[in-house]
Amino acid sequence: NAGVTQTPKFQVLKTGQSMTLQCAQDMNHNSMYWYRQDPGMGLRLIYYSASEGTTDKGEVPNGYNVSRLNKREFSLRLESAAPSQTSVYFCASSLMETQYFGPGTRLLVL
Amino acid sequence: KNEVEQSPQNLTAQEGEFITINCSYSVGISALHWLQQHPGGGIVSLFMLSSGKKKHGRLIATINIQEKHSSLHITASHPRDSAVYICAVRSGSGGSNYKLTFGKGTLLTVNP
């Protein structure tokens, strides 16, 4: 089992460019999450999906959109990247309480 | 919104020392988690607690629901324990919402 995978590992964007961060899990988990991690701050929830076909906003959703494509995949899209979106992005999944994290994507917006 | 505070922010210890990291939260919870983030960035779940105490190897986690406080202890610390330790809480009475609120983390460095 690969667990939770994320692509890409690292990305540099110019302000205004768009991109999609991909996340997939092979553990048959219902819930999936997107977080961002910034220096000096805890992980903050961007969006989550409690089950296939549902998505809800988290703490910091502005500037992002998500798609729960199927039970395995949950993508995060930045339509027009801004320097404030420079961060490390983590995807996670859970069946119940315990969340399993992907390796993260480092995003730099210039 | 639940506020999660961890202390200390940074901790340096010598190999073999007993380590304690503290976590307090402001609102009633249904579960508290301790996670470890390795220097390379990967995040793994260590414990999930709703009451009492759990032990796994040299790691011990306790929670006091009345005082809204949890501690993570590491006995006989080792340089490989060097990592960021993160406390996270699931607020409310449970149900199917597993959203967590995270503390800022405690950076532990264990020197040989």
Side-chain angles (χ1 to χ4, degrees), chain B residues 70-102:
Chain B
S70 175
S71 292
L72 176 68
H73 305 286
I74 305 174
T75 62
S77 59
H78 190 276
R80 65 175 175 267
D81 297 325
S82 298
V84 175
Y85 292 85
I86 301 170
C87 174
V89 300
R90 180 185 172 205
S91 300
S93 56
S96 60
N97 182 342
Y98 296 107
K99 289 192 294 182
L100 299 177
T101 302
F102 293 81

PDB file of all heavy atoms in Angstrom, chain B residues 70-102:
ATOM      1  N   SER B  70      -3.226  18.017  28.231  1.00  0.00           N
ATOM      2  CA  SER B  70      -2.605  16.739  27.899  1.00  0.00           C
ATOM      3  C   SER B  70      -1.098  16.897  27.940  1.00  0.00           C
ATOM      4  O   SER B  70      -0.563  17.992  27.705  1.00  0.00           O
ATOM      5  CB  SER B  70      -3.038  16.283  26.508  1.00  0.00           C
ATOM      6  OG  SER B  70      -2.357  15.102  26.107  1.00  0.00           O
ATOM      7  N   SER B  71      -0.415  15.807  28.232  1.00  0.00           N
ATOM      8  CA  SER B  71       1.045  15.796  28.202  1.00  0.00           C
ATOM      9  C   SER B  71       1.533  14.615  27.388  1.00  0.00           C
ATOM     10  O   SER B  71       0.914  13.544  27.390  1.00  0.00           O
ATOM     11  CB  SER B  71       1.628  15.696  29.612  1.00  0.00           C
ATOM     12  OG  SER B  71       1.376  16.864  30.356  1.00  0.00           O
ATOM     13  N   LEU B  72       2.645  14.847  26.692  1.00  0.00           N
ATOM     14  CA  LEU B  72       3.355  13.774  25.997  1.00  0.00           C
ATOM     15  C   LEU B  72       4.719  13.635  26.670  1.00  0.00           C
ATOM     16  O   LEU B  72       5.448  14.623  26.802  1.00  0.00           O
ATOM     17  CB  LEU B  72       3.533  14.110  24.518  1.00  0.00           C
ATOM     18  CG  LEU B  72       4.338  13.101  23.693  1.00  0.00           C
ATOM     19  CD1 LEU B  72       3.565  11.793  23.555  1.00  0.00           C
ATOM     20  CD2 LEU B  72       4.665  13.662  22.313  1.00  0.00           C
ATOM     21  N   HIS B  73       5.006  12.425  27.136  1.00  0.00           N
ATOM     22  CA  HIS B  73       6.280  12.164  27.793  1.00  0.00           C
ATOM     23  C   HIS B  73       7.111  11.223  26.928  1.00  0.00           C
ATOM     24  O   HIS B  73       6.570  10.287  26.317  1.00  0.00           O
ATOM     25  CB  HIS B  73       6.064  11.494  29.163  1.00  0.00           C
ATOM     26  CG  HIS B  73       5.157  12.251  30.071  1.00  0.00           C
ATOM     27  ND1 HIS B  73       5.538  13.412  30.711  1.00  0.00           N
ATOM     28  CD2 HIS B  73       3.872  12.009  30.443  1.00  0.00           C
ATOM     29  CE1 HIS B  73       4.538  13.842  31.454  1.00  0.00           C
ATOM     30  NE2 HIS B  73       3.510  13.013  31.305  1.00  0.00           N
ATOM     31  N   ILE B  74       8.403  11.478  26.905  1.00  0.00           N
ATOM     32  CA  ILE B  74       9.343  10.571  26.251  1.00  0.00           C
ATOM     33  C   ILE B  74      10.358  10.158  27.300  1.00  0.00           C
ATOM     34  O   ILE B  74      11.045  11.009  27.890  1.00  0.00           O
ATOM     35  CB  ILE B  74      10.059  11.233  25.061  1.00  0.00           C
ATOM     36  CG1 ILE B  74       9.052  11.793  24.059  1.00  0.00           C
ATOM     37  CG2 ILE B  74      10.987  10.231  24.369  1.00  0.00           C
ATOM     38  CD1 ILE B  74       9.680  12.586  22.915  1.00  0.00           C
ATOM     39  N   THR B  75      10.440   8.862  27.571  1.00  0.00           N
ATOM     40  CA  THR B  75      11.428   8.381  28.529  1.00  0.00           C
ATOM     41  C   THR B  75      12.704   7.985  27.778  1.00  0.00           C
ATOM     42  O   THR B  75      12.655   7.587  26.614  1.00  0.00           O
ATOM     43  CB  THR B  75      10.893   7.170  29.296  1.00  0.00           C
ATOM     44  OG1 THR B  75      10.637   6.108  28.356  1.00  0.00           O
ATOM     45  CG2 THR B  75       9.598   7.496  30.017  1.00  0.00           C
ATOM     46  N   ALA B  76      13.836   8.142  28.464  1.00  0.00           N
ATOM     47  CA  ALA B  76      15.136   7.758  27.893  1.00  0.00           C
ATOM     48  C   ALA B  76      15.288   8.301  26.472  1.00  0.00           C
ATOM     49  O   ALA B  76      15.452   7.544  25.510  1.00  0.00           O
ATOM     50  CB  ALA B  76      15.305   6.247  27.919  1.00  0.00           C
ATOM     51  N   SER B  77      15.204   9.611  26.328  1.00  0.00           N
ATOM     52  CA  SER B  77      15.192  10.241  24.995  1.00  0.00           C
ATOM     53  C   SER B  77      16.456   9.890  24.206  1.00  0.00           C
ATOM     54  O   SER B  77      17.537   9.636  24.761  1.00  0.00           O
ATOM     55  CB  SER B  77      15.056  11.753  25.129  1.00  0.00           C
ATOM     56  OG  SER B  77      16.121  12.283  25.887  1.00  0.00           O
ATOM     57  N   HIS B  78      16.296   9.899  22.888  1.00  0.00           N
ATOM     58  CA  HIS B  78      17.356   9.512  21.953  1.00  0.00           C
ATOM     59  C   HIS B  78      17.387  10.524  20.821  1.00  0.00           C
ATOM     60  O   HIS B  78      16.354  11.111  20.489  1.00  0.00           O
ATOM     61  CB  HIS B  78      17.038   8.107  21.419  1.00  0.00           C
ATOM     62  CG  HIS B  78      18.147   7.494  20.637  1.00  0.00           C
ATOM     63  ND1 HIS B  78      18.347   7.752  19.298  1.00  0.00           N
ATOM     64  CD2 HIS B  78      19.129   6.646  21.014  1.00  0.00           C
ATOM     65  CE1 HIS B  78      19.397   7.098  18.882  1.00  0.00           C
ATOM     66  NE2 HIS B  78      19.888   6.410  19.896  1.00  0.00           N
ATOM     67  N   PRO B  79      18.550  10.741  20.212  1.00  0.00           N
ATOM     68  CA  PRO B  79      18.597  11.707  19.095  1.00  0.00           C
ATOM     69  C   PRO B  79      17.563  11.444  18.003  1.00  0.00           C
ATOM     70  O   PRO B  79      17.083  12.381  17.370  1.00  0.00           O
ATOM     71  CB  PRO B  79      20.030  11.554  18.563  1.00  0.00           C
ATOM     72  CG  PRO B  79      20.825  11.212  19.785  1.00  0.00           C
ATOM     73  CD  PRO B  79      19.913  10.326  20.599  1.00  0.00           C
ATOM     74  N   ARG B  80      17.187  10.192  17.787  1.00  0.00           N
ATOM     75  CA  ARG B  80      16.178   9.916  16.747  1.00  0.00           C
ATOM     76  C   ARG B  80      14.788  10.415  17.143  1.00  0.00           C
ATOM     77  O   ARG B  80      13.877  10.434  16.315  1.00  0.00           O
ATOM     78  CB  ARG B  80      16.110   8.432  16.418  1.00  0.00           C
ATOM     79  CG  ARG B  80      15.646   7.558  17.545  1.00  0.00           C
ATOM     80  CD  ARG B  80      15.481   6.114  17.096  1.00  0.00           C
ATOM     81  NE  ARG B  80      15.142   5.240  18.211  1.00  0.00           N
ATOM     82  CZ  ARG B  80      16.038   4.566  18.928  1.00  0.00           C
ATOM     83  NH1 ARG B  80      17.327   4.652  18.622  1.00  0.00           N
ATOM     84  NH2 ARG B  80      15.662   3.799  19.934  1.00  0.00           N
ATOM     85  N   ASP B  81      14.602  10.824  18.406  1.00  0.00           N
ATOM     86  CA  ASP B  81      13.328  11.430  18.825  1.00  0.00           C
ATOM     87  C   ASP B  81      13.227  12.891  18.393  1.00  0.00           C
ATOM     88  O   ASP B  81      12.161  13.515  18.545  1.00  0.00           O
ATOM     89  CB  ASP B  81      13.168  11.363  20.351  1.00  0.00           C
ATOM     90  CG  ASP B  81      13.100   9.946  20.865  1.00  0.00           C
ATOM     91  OD1 ASP B  81      12.528   9.073  20.173  1.00  0.00           O
ATOM     92  OD2 ASP B  81      13.641   9.698  21.968  1.00  0.00           O
ATOM     93  N   SER B  82      14.312  13.452  17.888  1.00  0.00           N
ATOM     94  CA  SER B  82      14.302  14.844  17.450  1.00  0.00           C
ATOM     95  C   SER B  82      13.278  15.019  16.333  1.00  0.00           C
ATOM     96  O   SER B  82      13.355  14.355  15.288  1.00  0.00           O
ATOM     97  CB  SER B  82      15.689  15.272  16.966  1.00  0.00           C
ATOM     98  OG  SER B  82      16.633  15.192  18.013  1.00  0.00           O
ATOM     99  N   ALA B  83      12.330  15.901  16.574  1.00  0.00           N
ATOM    100  CA  ALA B  83      11.210  16.100  15.642  1.00  0.00           C
ATOM    101  C   ALA B  83      10.349  17.230  16.179  1.00  0.00           C
ATOM    102  O   ALA B  83      10.600  17.757  17.266  1.00  0.00           O
ATOM    103  CB  ALA B  83      10.375  14.824  15.522  1.00  0.00           C
ATOM    104  N   VAL B  84       9.333  17.578  15.416  1.00  0.00           N
ATOM    105  CA  VAL B  84       8.296  18.486  15.916  1.00  0.00           C
ATOM    106  C   VAL B  84       7.127  17.628  16.380  1.00  0.00           C
ATOM    107  O   VAL B  84       6.657  16.746  15.644  1.00  0.00           O
ATOM    108  CB  VAL B  84       7.822  19.469  14.830  1.00  0.00           C
ATOM    109  CG1 VAL B  84       6.659  20.320  15.342  1.00  0.00           C
ATOM    110  CG2 VAL B  84       8.977  20.371  14.396  1.00  0.00           C
ATOM    111  N   TYR B  85       6.652  17.882  17.593  1.00  0.00           N
ATOM    112  CA  TYR B  85       5.527  17.150  18.158  1.00  0.00           C
ATOM    113  C   TYR B  85       4.317  18.073  18.170  1.00  0.00           C
ATOM    114  O   TYR B  85       4.381  19.197  18.667  1.00  0.00           O
ATOM    115  CB  TYR B  85       5.860  16.629  19.555  1.00  0.00           C
ATOM    116  CG  TYR B  85       6.913  15.543  19.472  1.00  0.00           C
ATOM    117  CD1 TYR B  85       8.263  15.875  19.431  1.00  0.00           C
ATOM    118  CD2 TYR B  85       6.548  14.197  19.379  1.00  0.00           C
ATOM    119  CE1 TYR B  85       9.239  14.886  19.311  1.00  0.00           C
ATOM    120  CE2 TYR B  85       7.508  13.206  19.264  1.00  0.00           C
ATOM    121  CZ  TYR B  85       8.850  13.561  19.222  1.00  0.00           C
ATOM    122  OH  TYR B  85       9.801  12.585  19.086  1.00  0.00           O
ATOM    123  N   ILE B  86       3.231  17.589  17.607  1.00  0.00           N
ATOM    124  CA  ILE B  86       2.052  18.420  17.370  1.00  0.00           C
ATOM    125  C   ILE B  86       0.868  17.839  18.124  1.00  0.00           C
ATOM    126  O   ILE B  86       0.602  16.634  18.056  1.00  0.00           O
ATOM    127  CB  ILE B  86       1.725  18.481  15.867  1.00  0.00           C
ATOM    128  CG1 ILE B  86       2.910  19.042  15.071  1.00  0.00           C
ATOM    129  CG2 ILE B  86       0.468  19.311  15.619  1.00  0.00           C
ATOM    130  CD1 ILE B  86       2.754  18.898  13.559  1.00  0.00           C
ATOM    131  N   CYS B  87       0.164  18.713  18.826  1.00  0.00           N
ATOM    132  CA  CYS B  87      -1.081  18.352  19.511  1.00  0.00           C
ATOM    133  C   CYS B  87      -2.248  18.818  18.645  1.00  0.00           C
ATOM    134  O   CYS B  87      -2.195  19.911  18.059  1.00  0.00           O
ATOM    135  CB  CYS B  87      -1.103  19.048  20.869  1.00  0.00           C
ATOM    136  SG  CYS B  87      -2.618  18.878  21.804  1.00  0.00           S
ATOM    137  N   ALA B  88      -3.285  18.017  18.558  1.00  0.00           N
ATOM    138  CA  ALA B  88      -4.467  18.404  17.779  1.00  0.00           C
ATOM    139  C   ALA B  88      -5.710  17.900  18.507  1.00  0.00           C
ATOM    140  O   ALA B  88      -5.680  16.844  19.140  1.00  0.00           O
ATOM    141  CB  ALA B  88      -4.408  17.815  16.372  1.00  0.00           C
ATOM    142  N   VAL B  89      -6.802  18.664  18.408  1.00  0.00           N
ATOM    143  CA  VAL B  89      -8.026  18.282  19.107  1.00  0.00           C
ATOM    144  C   VAL B  89      -9.199  18.216  18.149  1.00  0.00           C
ATOM    145  O   VAL B  89      -9.273  18.956  17.166  1.00  0.00           O
ATOM    146  CB  VAL B  89      -8.358  19.245  20.273  1.00  0.00           C
ATOM    147  CG1 VAL B  89      -7.230  19.254  21.287  1.00  0.00           C
ATOM    148  CG2 VAL B  89      -8.654  20.643  19.774  1.00  0.00           C
ATOM    149  N   ARG B  90     -10.093  17.320  18.459  1.00  0.00           N
ATOM    150  CA  ARG B  90     -11.367  17.223  17.747  1.00  0.00           C
ATOM    151  C   ARG B  90     -12.418  17.760  18.702  1.00  0.00           C
ATOM    152  O   ARG B  90     -12.644  17.179  19.762  1.00  0.00           O
ATOM    153  CB  ARG B  90     -11.655  15.786  17.380  1.00  0.00           C
ATOM    154  CG  ARG B  90     -12.952  15.579  16.647  1.00  0.00           C
ATOM    155  CD  ARG B  90     -13.207  14.110  16.425  1.00  0.00           C
ATOM    156  NE  ARG B  90     -14.528  13.877  15.881  1.00  0.00           N
ATOM    157  CZ  ARG B  90     -15.195  12.740  16.037  1.00  0.00           C
ATOM    158  NH1 ARG B  90     -14.681  11.747  16.709  1.00  0.00           N
ATOM    159  NH2 ARG B  90     -16.384  12.596  15.501  1.00  0.00           N
ATOM    160  N   SER B  91     -13.019  18.873  18.337  1.00  0.00           N
ATOM    161  CA  SER B  91     -13.959  19.543  19.229  1.00  0.00           C
ATOM    162  C   SER B  91     -15.317  18.892  19.187  1.00  0.00           C
ATOM    163  O   SER B  91     -15.631  18.122  18.268  1.00  0.00           O
ATOM    164  CB  SER B  91     -14.074  21.023  18.846  1.00  0.00           C
ATOM    165  OG  SER B  91     -12.819  21.654  18.948  1.00  0.00           O
ATOM    166  N   GLY B  92     -16.124  19.224  20.190  1.00  0.00           N
ATOM    167  CA  GLY B  92     -17.522  18.833  20.149  1.00  0.00           C
ATOM    168  C   GLY B  92     -17.756  17.443  20.674  1.00  0.00           C
ATOM    169  O   GLY B  92     -16.910  16.844  21.343  1.00  0.00           O
ATOM    170  N   SER B  93     -18.890  16.907  20.330  1.00  0.00           N
ATOM    171  CA  SER B  93     -19.336  15.662  20.931  1.00  0.00           C
ATOM    172  C   SER B  93     -19.106  14.457  20.030  1.00  0.00           C
ATOM    173  O   SER B  93     -19.586  13.372  20.315  1.00  0.00           O
ATOM    174  CB  SER B  93     -20.825  15.755  21.265  1.00  0.00           C
ATOM    175  OG  SER B  93     -21.549  16.072  20.096  1.00  0.00           O
ATOM    176  N   GLY B  94     -18.389  14.648  18.971  1.00  0.00           N
ATOM    177  CA  GLY B  94     -18.086  13.500  18.116  1.00  0.00           C
ATOM    178  C   GLY B  94     -18.938  13.488  16.872  1.00  0.00           C
ATOM    179  O   GLY B  94     -19.012  14.487  16.176  1.00  0.00           O
ATOM    180  N   GLY B  95     -19.562  12.367  16.600  1.00  0.00           N
ATOM    181  CA  GLY B  95     -20.310  12.236  15.352  1.00  0.00           C
ATOM    182  C   GLY B  95     -19.373  11.891  14.224  1.00  0.00           C
ATOM    183  O   GLY B  95     -18.294  11.345  14.428  1.00  0.00           O
ATOM    184  N   SER B  96     -19.759  12.256  12.994  1.00  0.00           N
ATOM    185  CA  SER B  96     -18.960  11.852  11.837  1.00  0.00           C
ATOM    186  C   SER B  96     -18.022  12.945  11.355  1.00  0.00           C
ATOM    187  O   SER B  96     -17.364  12.799  10.335  1.00  0.00           O
ATOM    188  CB  SER B  96     -19.879  11.436  10.687  1.00  0.00           C
ATOM    189  OG  SER B  96     -20.699  12.534  10.324  1.00  0.00           O
ATOM    190  N   ASN B  97     -17.936  14.061  12.096  1.00  0.00           N
ATOM    191  CA  ASN B  97     -17.041  15.142  11.715  1.00  0.00           C
ATOM    192  C   ASN B  97     -15.705  14.944  12.420  1.00  0.00           C
ATOM    193  O   ASN B  97     -15.604  15.071  13.633  1.00  0.00           O
ATOM    194  CB  ASN B  97     -17.656  16.482  12.115  1.00  0.00           C
ATOM    195  CG  ASN B  97     -16.796  17.652  11.696  1.00  0.00           C
ATOM    196  OD1 ASN B  97     -15.619  17.503  11.411  1.00  0.00           O
ATOM    197  ND2 ASN B  97     -17.390  18.820  11.663  1.00  0.00           N
ATOM    198  N   TYR B  98     -14.663  14.614  11.658  1.00  0.00           N
ATOM    199  CA  TYR B  98     -13.357  14.329  12.239  1.00  0.00           C
ATOM    200  C   TYR B  98     -12.371  15.462  12.045  1.00  0.00           C
ATOM    201  O   TYR B  98     -11.166  15.253  12.087  1.00  0.00           O
ATOM    202  CB  TYR B  98     -12.799  13.031  11.646  1.00  0.00           C
ATOM    203  CG  TYR B  98     -13.632  11.823  11.996  1.00  0.00           C
ATOM    204  CD1 TYR B  98     -14.443  11.204  11.048  1.00  0.00           C
ATOM    205  CD2 TYR B  98     -13.638  11.320  13.292  1.00  0.00           C
ATOM    206  CE1 TYR B  98     -15.219  10.121  11.381  1.00  0.00           C
ATOM    207  CE2 TYR B  98     -14.418  10.218  13.622  1.00  0.00           C
ATOM    208  CZ  TYR B  98     -15.198   9.623  12.664  1.00  0.00           C
ATOM    209  OH  TYR B  98     -15.971   8.540  12.986  1.00  0.00           O
ATOM    210  N   LYS B  99     -12.856  16.692  11.849  1.00  0.00           N
ATOM    211  CA  LYS B  99     -11.956  17.824  11.677  1.00  0.00           C
ATOM    212  C   LYS B  99     -11.152  18.064  12.944  1.00  0.00           C
ATOM    213  O   LYS B  99     -11.662  17.943  14.057  1.00  0.00           O
ATOM    214  CB  LYS B  99     -12.740  19.090  11.330  1.00  0.00           C
ATOM    215  CG  LYS B  99     -13.324  19.085   9.936  1.00  0.00           C
ATOM    216  CD  LYS B  99     -13.832  20.452   9.558  1.00  0.00           C
ATOM    217  CE  LYS B  99     -15.000  20.876  10.408  1.00  0.00           C
ATOM    218  NZ  LYS B  99     -15.526  22.194   9.996  1.00  0.00           N
ATOM    219  N   LEU B 100      -9.877  18.426  12.759  1.00  0.00           N
ATOM    220  CA  LEU B 100      -8.983  18.691  13.882  1.00  0.00           C
ATOM    221  C   LEU B 100      -8.521  20.140  13.879  1.00  0.00           C
ATOM    222  O   LEU B 100      -8.410  20.766  12.829  1.00  0.00           O
ATOM    223  CB  LEU B 100      -7.741  17.793  13.785  1.00  0.00           C
ATOM    224  CG  LEU B 100      -7.966  16.280  13.836  1.00  0.00           C
ATOM    225  CD1 LEU B 100      -6.640  15.548  13.642  1.00  0.00           C
ATOM    226  CD2 LEU B 100      -8.618  15.881  15.146  1.00  0.00           C
ATOM    227  N   THR B 101      -8.240  20.645  15.091  1.00  0.00           N
ATOM    228  CA  THR B 101      -7.575  21.942  15.263  1.00  0.00           C
ATOM    229  C   THR B 101      -6.200  21.655  15.848  1.00  0.00           C
ATOM    230  O   THR B 101      -6.086  20.925  16.837  1.00  0.00           O
ATOM    231  CB  THR B 101      -8.365  22.855  16.213  1.00  0.00           C
ATOM    232  OG1 THR B 101      -9.681  23.032  15.690  1.00  0.00           O
ATOM    233  CG2 THR B 101      -7.677  24.212  16.335  1.00  0.00           C
ATOM    234  N   PHE B 102      -5.167  22.241  15.243  1.00  0.00           N
ATOM    235  CA  PHE B 102      -3.791  21.891  15.574  1.00  0.00           C
ATOM    236  C   PHE B 102      -3.112  22.978  16.391  1.00  0.00           C
ATOM    237  O   PHE B 102      -3.336  24.168  16.185  1.00  0.00           O
ATOM    238  CB  PHE B 102      -2.986  21.686  14.282  1.00  0.00           C
ATOM    239  CG  PHE B 102      -3.419  20.500  13.487  1.00  0.00           C
ATOM    240  CD1 PHE B 102      -4.522  20.577  12.657  1.00  0.00           C
ATOM    241  CD2 PHE B 102      -2.732  19.301  13.550  1.00  0.00           C
ATOM    242  CE1 PHE B 102      -4.939  19.476  11.915  1.00  0.00           C
ATOM    243  CE2 PHE B 102      -3.133  18.197  12.809  1.00  0.00           C
ATOM    244  CZ  PHE B 102      -4.248  18.287  11.995  1.00  0.00           C
TER     245      PHE B 102
END
